């Protein structure tokens, strides 16, 4: 049920971010502003789901970027 009429997409492109933590901070800001929370993200070629709880943990330094990737990585597609 992935007909183009079933959903809409919105893409953002960012340059100049040094790491996943900075990327997650930007995504969190966008999520807060828009109220959208179901994100599929690609950072440096790795496709991931956005999990706000894990993102906050990475931003606060309570979770490593590597752990975030392992927990939220999506199959290529």
């Amino acid at each position: 049920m992935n007909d183009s009429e079933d959903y809409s997409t919105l893409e953002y492109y960012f340059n100049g971010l040094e790491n996943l933590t900075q990327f997650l901070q930007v995504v969190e800001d966008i999520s807060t502003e828009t109220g959208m929370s179901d994100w599929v993200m690609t950072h440096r070629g790795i496709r991931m789901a956005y999990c706000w709880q894990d993102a906050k943990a990475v931003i606060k330094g309570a979770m490593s970027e590597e752990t975030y990737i392992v927990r939220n990585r999506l199959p290529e597609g």
Side-chain angles (χ1 to χ4, degrees):
M1 200 118 140
N2 282 340
D3 295 334
S4 61
E5 295 178 18
D6 290 341
Y7 64 94
S8 299
T9 62
L10 176 64
E11 296 183 25
Y12 289 88
Y13 295 91
F14 305 105
N15 292 318
L17 301 176
E18 295 181 17
N19 52 44
L20 180 60
T21 301
Q22 290 178 356
F23 182 73
L24 291 172
Q25 287 172 320
V26 172
V27 173
E28 182 181 35
D29 288 345
I30 293 169
S31 182
T32 299
E33 287 294 320
T34 64
M36 296 187 308
S37 60
D38 190 17
W39 296 90
V40 174
M41 318 175 298
T42 303
H43 176 70
R44 297 189 176 163
I46 300 170
R47 191 168 174 260
M48 297 170 276
Y50 175 68
C51 173
W52 69 269
Q53 296 97 332
D54 290 351
K56 284 191 180 294
V58 172
I59 292 165
K60 291 179 180 179
M63 179 186 292
S64 71
E65 293 181 355
E66 293 79 13
T67 300
Y68 185 94
I69 292 168
V70 168
R71 291 176 68 162
N72 296 288
R73 189 172 199 152
L74 297 172
E76 297 301 319

